[in-house]
Amino acid sequence: MKLQRKNRLRATALGALAVSGALVLTACGSDNNSDGTTGGNGGKTSASSNIKCDDAKGQLLASGSSAQKNAMDLWIKDYMAGCSGVEVNYKSSSSGEGIVAFNQGTVGFAGSDSALKPEEVVESKKICKGGQGINLPMVGGPIAIGYHLEGVDNLTLDAPTLAKIFDGKIKKWNDPAIAKLNSDAKLPDKAIQAFHRSEDSGTTQNLGKYLGTAAPSDWKYEAEKKWPSPGGQAASGSAGVAAQVKQVDGAIGYFELSYATSQSISTVDIDTGGSAPVKATPENASKAIAAAKIKGTGKDLALDLDYTTKADGAYPIVLVTYEVVCDKGNKAETLPTVKSFLNYTAGDEGQKLLTEAGYAPIPTEINAKVRETIASLS
């Protein structure tokens, strides 16, 4: 456990944010701004953080993925400190709920851990007048497999074993399949309590893509946002799953690394078949995400991730969270704020905060296209 904690980046600074029960972060930008610069005032830039506020003003509502909640908390705090008169509210719920809200026209953008489905793109055309919803990759990172097992500080699992655990086929921690991967561990004769997300979740879908691709013989389910297996116990949001793992001896679950770092939850090393098991760290996730290819067309920047990588140091269970916006037809009253805020999150300062918070920045080549697309939004 001590070794894993050393790999976690600035967990103390993030902890207060991550354990917060608030789903919506609100604040008045003018209360946070001490340098006198203003947003919504002809493209002025914040002197304190070089945030280009442009004509941003008023309130911007957004919702979706809880995977990026901790990143959003940091981004919003920093952005509103630099742009007075602007209020950004991000409701952390789920990818599915965020896309529904976007296609109902109630938010300026949505956060989703999986790209829009074809039918969701069609639906978006009703809101995006003359355009459609597109995916902008903004947040990368590992999906950590967190566990709580008294007396076991280091644990290695592979894709087939994980698949059997989450499908309820492996029921005890001292199962031979787990013991074979952990010859030095004293595994107890204790029941495994596997936790999963209760609501539609892009994190669930990405885990399903990994299990279905890396262990196709043991995970027969389609990669959908809804948890497919009849086994296990459900909890709401990544925060809820992490809380259960933290509390229950014998528990295992999945959530973004920031939830593990903030609550000192032990995480599983993944045996990919490479030279050594791989730890869940932002750096190791970046090695996997860097190999991603853009599969979207036009201005859509949806990515194709390699979940079966055996490259040394590449952590295979990764996700990319997209900000979903209209390429054309964004609401005139919120478009300046959407562009200003997303320019900041995709910029050097915003992406730097990701590493500090346990996430992985979007690879430079892809991020350059994200910035170009943001500039072209209308």
Side-chain angles (χ1 to χ4, degrees), residues 110 169 179 205 373:
K169 302 294 174 53
Q205 187 173 39
T373 303

Side-chain angles (χ1 to χ4, degrees), residues 227-245:
W227 181 255
S229 172
Q233 303 176 58
S236 178
S238 291
V241 175
Q244 291 298 320
V245 173

Side-chain angles (χ1 to χ4, degrees), residues 72 75 138 323 340-347 350-351 354 367:
M72 274 291 172
W75 278 339
M138 197 69 68
E323 311 313 335
S340 171
F341 180 68
L342 294 184
N343 267 322
Y344 160 66
T345 63
Q351 290 292 296
L354 292 179
N367 183 252

Side-chain angles (χ1 to χ4, degrees), residues 49-63:
S49 57
N50 297 317
I51 297 173
K52 198 174 189 324
C53 302
D54 292 322
D55 294 318
K57 61 183 178 180
Q59 185 181 64
L60 172 62
L61 300 179
S63 70

Side-chain angles (χ1 to χ4, degrees), residues 53-253:
C53 302
D54 292 322
D55 294 318
K57 61 183 178 180
Q59 185 181 64
L60 172 62
L61 300 179
S63 70
S65 166
S66 65
Q68 66 175 6
K69 177 189 184 300
N70 295 330
M72 274 291 172
D73 284 353
L74 294 172
W75 278 339
I76 290 172
K77 179 181 179 181
D78 199 30
Y79 179 79
M80 292 199 306
C83 296
S84 66
V86 183
E87 183 178 331
V88 181
N89 294 338
Y90 182 79
K91 181 182 179 182
S92 172
S93 51
S94 68
S95 299
E97 292 179 50
I99 290 173
V100 168
F102 177 77
N103 281 339
Q104 290 177 342
T106 60
V107 294
F109 70 88
S112 177
D113 306 338
S114 56
L116 291 166
K117 295 179 179 179
E119 60 269 27
E120 292 170 337
V121 173
V122 171
E123 186 72 15
S124 74
K125 294 180 180 180
K126 298 176 183 178
I127 296 299
C128 305
K129 303 302 181 182
Q132 66 181 45
I134 58 172
N135 305 282
L136 301 179
M138 197 69 68
V139 181
I143 300 175
I145 306 299
Y147 73 97
H148 179 177
L149 193 59
E150 296 295 336
V152 179
D153 293 340
N154 295 286
L155 186 69
T156 295
L157 297 173
D158 58 13
T161 306
L162 273 174
K164 292 172 186 175
I165 288 173
F166 280 115
D167 200 22
K169 302 294 174 53
I170 292 179
K171 302 179 182 297
K172 291 289 189 75
W173 278 110
N174 62 348
D175 187 275
I178 301 176
K180 183 177 179 180
L181 293 165
N182 298 274
S183 58
D184 295 333
K186 294 182 179 180
L187 298 168
D189 182 18
K190 183 181 290 292
I192 295 174
Q193 299 194 53
F195 288 90
H196 59 263
R197 294 280 290 273
S198 60
E199 73 287 354
D200 286 2
S201 161
T203 310
T204 294
Q205 187 173 39
N206 278 277
L207 176 65
K209 288 178 181 178
Y210 165 72
L211 294 175
T213 304
S217 298
D218 299 294
W219 191 258
K220 301 292 188 179
Y221 306 101
E222 293 293 326
E224 298 292 346
K225 293 178 181 178
K226 184 176 181 61
W227 181 255
S229 172
Q233 303 176 58
S236 178
S238 291
V241 175
Q244 291 298 320
V245 173
K246 176 75 172 179
Q247 295 169 10
V248 178
D249 186 19
I252 190 170

